[in-house]
């Protein structure tokens, strides 16, 4: 499964979210992502592959930074391996 959202925010709104995620990774437990009115808890496991991409699309006039963290997850069933997405609002 996949949980993905896109929203326009200021740099000042994005930075604290990224810091909170970094703090959760440092603590070594589960990581909670809150995206819009949805929430999912993930359990990152070492080793984590960190992908960083800088991209520019001159035809659309956009430039961006993309971060991705990937790790292996042990699961015995498809249900164990799927995301449990919670609705947090209307």
């Amino acid at each position: 499964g996949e949980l993905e959202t896109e929203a326009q925010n200021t740099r000042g709104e994005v930075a604290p979210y990224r810091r909170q995620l970094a703090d959760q990774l440092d603590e070594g437990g589960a990581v909670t992502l809150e995206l819009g009115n949805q929430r999912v808890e993930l359990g990152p496991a070492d080793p984590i592959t960190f992908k960083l991409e800088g991209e520019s699309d001159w035809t659309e006039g956009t430039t961006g930074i993309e971060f991705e963290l990937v790790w292996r997850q042990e699961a015995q069933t498809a249900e164990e391996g799927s995301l449990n997405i919670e609705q947090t609002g209307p």
Side-chain angles (χ1 to χ4, degrees):
E2 184 174 19
L3 173 62
E4 185 175 331
T5 190
E6 188 173 312
Q8 290 189 347
N9 300 96
T10 65
R11 291 165 56 153
E13 292 168 330
V14 172
Y17 185 86
R18 305 257 330 145
R19 282 188 200 97
Q20 180 184 21
L21 178 59
D23 289 344
Q24 290 180 56
L25 284 170
D26 269 344
E27 291 169 6
V31 171
T32 302
L33 300 179
E34 293 191 38
L35 304 170
N37 65 344
Q38 298 179 318
R39 176 179 31 224
V40 66
E41 191 171 284
L42 302 170
D46 289 325
I48 293 176
T49 300
F50 176 56
K51 298 178 183 181
L52 177 61
E53 182 180 333
E55 56 191 5
S56 180
D57 185 339
W58 66 271
T59 59
E60 290 189 24
T62 61
T63 302
I65 301 170
E66 191 172 312
F67 298 88
E68 187 174 351
L69 304 175
V70 180
W71 60 90
R72 291 208 169 273
Q73 177 177 322
E74 297 295 325
Q76 303 299 317
T77 66
E79 186 174 296
E80 286 178 358
S82 66
L83 292 180
N84 182 16
I85 301 170
E86 233 179 86
Q87 295 294 325
T88 59

